Amino acid sequence: EDQVTQSPEALRLQEGESSSLNCSYTVSGLRGLFWYRQDPGKGPEFLFTLYSAGEEKEKERLKATLTKKESFLHITAPKPEDSATYLCAVQARTGNQFYFGTGTSLTVIP
Amino acid sequence: GAVVSQHPSWVICKSGTSVKIECRSLDFQATTMFWYRQFPKQSLMLMATSNEGSKATYEQGVEKDKFLINHASLTLSTLTVTSAHPEDSSFYICSARDQGRPNQPQHFGDGTRLSIL
């Protein structure tokens, strides 16, 4: 069964304190793994797509990496405006459906 | 970048009312759109996949007569919550993907907060 698990559920960081969020997945053939950011009361905002193990993508203070079993979202020197819920989703090679994790709620304290 | 517009953003109505939510892809065509429901502090729950020109595919446990989906064009899908009751109150979010680019991500609307009194 296709499944996505994110950890931790919640994370509090001091401004400038780097850390990583984890997304573990089980899927019958990975088409793509996607990271989104969701602010309260808003729809998810697309961040990255990763297609194969070893791939990395960067955007400002965020860097996403992928292995055959998990993905990490590394946050370097976070700022309060990085506070949000970060969602991970995978898409199998067959079908259109995305499988979402339950997210990591990140709070960055000034 | 790809933009998906969802309307309305907030609805408050009486029990028994039917509510229609629109989802539009503004700069790409989408043969497939997705409707999600999200409860507070929980992740997205896929309700149905909306297919242009054909019937929607509903997830297990989602009542198709309760949540009517119409995908009449390549840029518009609608979700109608029929005879809404307080337990239907939730945050509903749609998404769409560029039909010409199957490996691309889903792009989401900003959601509709539905409150049934």
Side-chain angles (χ1 to χ4, degrees):
Chain A
E1 181 183 330
D2 298 336
Q3 196 169 346
V4 179
T5 304
Q6 288 188 248
S7 62
E9 190 174 306
L11 182 62
R12 289 172 65 89
L13 299 173
Q14 289 292 136
E15 184 171 2
E17 179 186 2
S18 302
S19 189
S20 296
L21 313 182
N22 178 265
C23 172
S24 298
Y25 66 91
T26 305
V27 67
S28 51
L30 180 70
R31 174 176 281 183
L33 184 142
F34 306 88
W35 281 98
Y36 290 86
R37 168 191 171 131
Q38 186 176 23
D39 292 297
K42 297 286 188 180
E45 174 190 345
F46 170 69
L47 293 174
F48 303 109
T49 307
L50 301 166
Y51 295 108
S52 57
E55 190 175 358
E56 298 182 353
K57 294 272 178 75
E58 280 189 74
K59 180 181 178 181
E60 296 180 354
R61 295 177 292 281
L62 300 177
K63 178 180 175 180
T65 61
L66 181 65
T67 72
K68 289 185 178 180
K69 294 183 178 180
E70 58 191 351
S71 176
F72 291 94
L73 183 65
H74 307 276
I75 302 177
T76 302
K79 298 182 177 182
E81 54 262 41
D82 295 322
S83 297
T85 295
Y86 291 84
L87 295 169
C88 167
V90 298
Q91 185 186 19
R93 286 209 187 95
T94 56
N96 280 317
Q97 188 170 343
F98 279 37
Y99 297 92
F100 279 88
T102 51
T104 293
S105 175
L106 174 66
T107 304
V108 181
I109 305 162
Chain B
V3 178
V4 174
S5 173
Q6 190 172 338
H7 178 81
S9 57
W10 193 287
V11 179
I12 302 174
C13 58
K14 293 181 179 179
S15 185
T17 306
S18 291
V19 177
K20 181 185 283 188
I21 303 169
E22 291 188 349
C23 180
R24 294 180 186 273
S25 56
L26 297 185
D27 56 359
F28 63 94
Q29 293 184 328
T31 50
T32 304
M33 292 185 176
F34 303 89
W35 288 96
Y36 293 85
R37 186 171 178 175
Q38 188 174 35
F39 292 101
K41 299 189 184 296
Q42 295 188 24
S43 191
L44 304 169
M45 182 189 80
L46 180 65
M47 298 174 64
T49 302
S50 171
N51 304 299
E52 187 267 336
S54 65
K55 291 182 180 180
T57 305
Y58 289 83
E59 295 300 302
Q60 194 171 7
V62 178
E63 298 176 59
K64 59 181 67 175
D65 294 331
K66 175 74 168 176
F67 299 99
L68 300 180
I69 291 172
N70 183 279
H71 194 150
S73 77
L74 287 171
T75 59
L76 173 65
S77 175
T78 61
L79 169 69
T80 301
V81 183
T82 61
S83 187
H85 289 93
E87 59 266 28
D88 298 321
S89 298
S90 191
F91 191 52
Y92 293 87
I93 311 176
C94 73
S95 72
R97 194 172 65 217
D98 189 331
Q99 69 171 50
R101 307 167 77 183
N103 289 345
Q104 292 301 301
Q106 293 182 20
H107 294 278
F108 288 84
D110 269 342
T112 298
R113 174 76 56 194
L114 176 61
S115 297
I116 308 298
L117 305 176

